[in-house]
Amino acid sequence: QVQLVESGGGLVQPGGSLRLSCAASVSRTIFAISAMGWYRQAPGKQRELVALITSGDSITYADSVKGRFTISRDNAKNTVYLQMNSLKPEDTAVYYCNTNILGIDYWAEGTLVTVSS
């Protein structure tokens, strides 16, 4: 059973920064060949892709976060990160880490990020 454990959410003022982490309970080999993604879901809205990093470090960002968020991975630690800078109130959402292994989607439980003064 694959588990994804997140940390790093919380309350931050507009313009502030947060870093989310997601650790995967899989072998280093499996982690290294897996794409990892961050999604978010705001109240009353659908879940949306925020950022994706492939095994070859190809990266995709949602237009709304380009230039402000950075996704990265540390294969030695089986961990993916999301550095969020210049946060806006509209970034408020529950953020979820995701991966797909052998055709099965796995999701973390979600961590709340609230951007408010």
Side-chain angles (χ1 to χ4, degrees):
Q1 180 73 12
V2 175
Q3 288 189 317
L4 301 175
V5 180
E6 298 175 337
S7 61
L11 173 64
V12 63
Q13 291 187 342
S17 297
L18 281 176
R19 188 175 82 154
L20 305 182
S21 300
C22 174
S25 65
V26 295
S27 69
R28 288 186 183 179
T29 300
I30 294 295
F31 184 85
I33 64 172
S34 300
M36 301 295 298
W38 287 98
Y39 290 73
R40 68 185 180 187
Q41 188 166 18
K45 295 188 176 181
Q46 290 188 331
R47 192 172 297 188
E48 62 176 358
L49 176 67
V50 176
L52 180 74
I53 184 167
T54 69
S55 58
D57 288 340
S58 177
I59 292 173
T60 302
Y61 292 106
D63 287 342
S64 59
V65 307
K66 284 180 181 177
R68 300 187 298 121
F69 290 12
T70 303
I71 188 171
S72 62
R73 63 191 297 158
D74 185 340
N75 290 343
K77 296 182 178 180
N78 283 12
T79 300
V80 62
Y81 304 97
L82 185 68
Q83 177 66 44
M84 305 184 293
N85 299 328
S86 303
L87 282 161
K88 305 175 181 180
E90 51 264 43
D91 295 318
T92 295
V94 177
Y95 284 70
Y96 299 91
C97 175
N98 164 270
T99 189
N100 185 290
I101 297 174
L102 299 178
I104 300 174
D105 262 335
Y106 295 94
W107 294 90
E109 64 179 16
T111 187
L112 178 63
V113 172
T114 302
V115 185
S116 174
S117 55

